[in-house]
Amino acid sequence: MPHSSGGGSHSGGSHGGSYSSGGSSSSRRSYTPPPLYSNSRRFGYSRYAFYEGDNITYRYVRNSSREISDLIILLFALPFILIGIAYIYFIPTKIEALSTNYDTTVYVDDWADILSDSEENAIYKSFIEFQNKTGITPALVTDYNSSWIEDYESLEDYAYDIYVNNFDDESHWLIVYTEPETPDADFNDWYWEGMQGNNTDAILSSSVTDDFNESMQKYLTKQSYSLGDAVSLSFDELTDNLVIGKTTIDFEMLVYALVWNGILILVVGGYFWSSKDDRKKLSKSIAEAKTKGIKVDEYVLEDTCEYCGGVYIHGKHIECPHCGAPIKPMNKASNS
């Protein structure tokens, strides 16, 4: 769908186009990492037996200092990483002229009868030169303020309506200019708005249209320039400055890439960097816990030492872990 390329007014200055931009909000909550021990089975833990006094206590010990949250963070960050790579990939851009396989008739519809014949001819000439270089077909419509002030919320809405009712493609660039039916000689309350098709975005980027808007507003504000002068001069300057068919560095994309990837590195890298000391301590605690216990299956065979009465696990010792007395083999212990 077409969208605004920007515009302005005599009283309010110029404004940029309606390029979409995204925003996000986030909420923070406290995060409690999984404990070192667990009394019940859980993912990422192994069962250990701990000899305490004459008895055995069974607890589950974490296998690693790595957390499921680490994987979740990486999976969550993956799309943003890919976007960052895409930004870098598209920094070198080759801007090509649009294909002219659509109705490329150039229109200058002076509904408000503001332009002289010579001004219309100058605008046609500027439009044709711009079209030959870019493949984009420009159009100009003049009208009165009353045509949109009463029935539309803004001139942008009115320009959109004119675009979709006159062009069935996304390759036009429409400029709509309005003023009072009887302009005040001291202050002409004029307005203007650009409406561009989506196919034009690669050429008419926000930085390009911002420059055009600045020129258009400058010429319209100066009393020494007529509307015709403002339109033809602004298009001539734009046509001269546009680079078509050559590979260039999109500096706007470069800034986006640097900011995007910088934020990504700070957020994701900061997450892992800030927790590295905690991970080292946790790894040490896990290693110590495992040396104090014996890794066992869910089902074990317990027995009692016939010398000290301490409980031990068959198949894990050749001596009683409590008193050091020899332990009978399992078959002899079961037959006695």
Side-chain angles (χ1 to χ4, degrees):
M1 302 296 289
H3 56 86
S4 171
S5 60
S9 65
H10 199 175
S11 58
S14 62
H15 62 267
S18 57
Y19 290 86
S20 61
S21 61
S24 63
S25 60
S26 61
S27 60
R28 299 183 61 184
R29 63 182 180 86
S30 60
Y31 169 70
T32 302
L36 177 61
Y37 297 102
S38 174
N39 292 323
S40 58
R41 295 179 63 181
R42 62 188 296 173
F43 180 78
Y45 285 68
S46 297
R47 192 177 190 227
Y48 278 76
F50 297 89
Y51 288 100
E52 299 177 352
D54 293 333
N55 295 311
I56 302 174
T57 299
Y58 295 98
R59 281 179 288 180
Y60 294 84
V61 181
R62 284 184 62 171
N63 293 327
S64 170
S65 61
R66 293 188 296 271
E67 301 177 9
I68 295 299
S69 60
D70 296 346
L71 179 60
I72 294 175
I73 290 292
L74 290 175
L75 289 176
F76 176 79
L78 182 60
F80 299 96
I81 294 172
L82 294 177
I83 292 174
I85 294 173
Y87 270 135
I88 296 173
Y89 179 80
F90 287 109
I91 287 174
T93 56
K94 186 175 183 180
I95 300 177
E96 300 284 3
L98 300 188
S99 172
T100 53
N101 57 350
Y102 64 98
D103 184 359
T104 57
T105 304
V106 173
Y107 292 98
V108 178
D109 291 336
D110 187 18
W111 299 345
D113 195 22
I114 300 172
L115 303 170
S116 65
D117 291 342
S118 61
E119 288 175 330
E120 287 195 28
N121 291 333
I123 293 173
Y124 269 114
K125 180 177 180 294
S126 298
F127 279 5
I128 293 297
E129 290 178 355
F130 176 80
Q131 183 189 59
N132 290 337
K133 187 170 186 177
T134 66
I136 300 170
T137 300
L140 173 66
V141 170
T142 68
D143 205 345
Y144 299 118
N145 294 344
S146 57
S147 299
W148 61 271
I149 287 180
E150 295 179 1
D151 299 323
Y152 295 86
E153 291 187 3
S154 65
L155 179 57
E156 179 179 340
D157 294 337
Y158 182 51
Y160 177 88
D161 203 7
I162 294 176
Y163 189 109
V164 297
N165 281 285
N166 286 274
F167 312 123
D168 58 1
D169 56 70
E170 296 286 341
S171 300
H172 277 76
W173 187 16
L174 170 67
I175 306 296
V176 178
Y177 171 92
T178 67
E179 64 179 32
E181 293 185 38
T182 306
D184 189 322
D186 295 327
F187 186 85
N188 185 0
D189 189 23
W190 48 258
Y191 298 80
W192 70 278
E193 188 76 28
M195 189 63 52
Q196 65 183 93
N198 284 345
N199 293 344
T200 70
D201 288 354
I203 298 174
L204 298 179
S205 63
S206 59
S207 59
V208 169
T209 54
D210 284 347
D211 289 342
F212 174 84
N213 296 339
E214 185 177 338
S215 294
M216 184 78 167
Q217 186 72 19
K218 175 184 67 176
Y219 289 126
L220 285 175
T221 305
K222 292 182 178 181
Q223 293 185 351
S224 56
Y225 293 93
S226 65
L227 170 62
D229 295 332
V231 174
S232 58
L233 286 172
S234 298
F235 267 88
D236 289 343
E237 290 176 3
L238 179 60
T239 302
D240 291 339
N241 292 328
L242 280 175
V243 177
I244 304 295
K246 295 182 180 179
T247 300
T248 61
I249 298 297
D250 189 332
F251 289 99
E252 184 176 339
M253 187 71 74
L254 176 61
V255 172
Y256 283 147
L258 292 175
V259 173
W260 185 277
N261 289 291
I263 292 175
L264 194 62
I265 291 172
L266 288 175
V267 173
V268 179
Y271 167 79
F272 289 100
W273 178 262
S274 63
S275 59
K276 67 181 182 67
D277 291 337
D278 293 335
R279 293 169 195 274
K280 288 182 179 179
K281 293 178 181 178
L282 181 57
S283 296
K284 183 179 180 180
S285 299
I286 292 173
E288 291 175 350
K290 291 180 178 179
T291 59
K292 294 177 181 178
I294 302 171
K295 189 174 182 179
V296 295
D297 297 328
E298 288 296 321
Y299 303 99
V300 297
L301 178 61
E302 295 181 353
D303 206 346
T304 304
C305 176
E306 59 185 8
Y307 295 99
C308 68
V311 180
Y312 65 90
I313 301 173
H314 264 301
K316 295 293 182 180
H317 311 280
I318 59 175
E319 296 178 346
C320 174
H322 303 286
C323 66
I327 295 175
K328 293 180 181 181
M330 190 176 297
N331 58 345
K332 291 184 178 181
S334 59
N335 292 330
S336 61

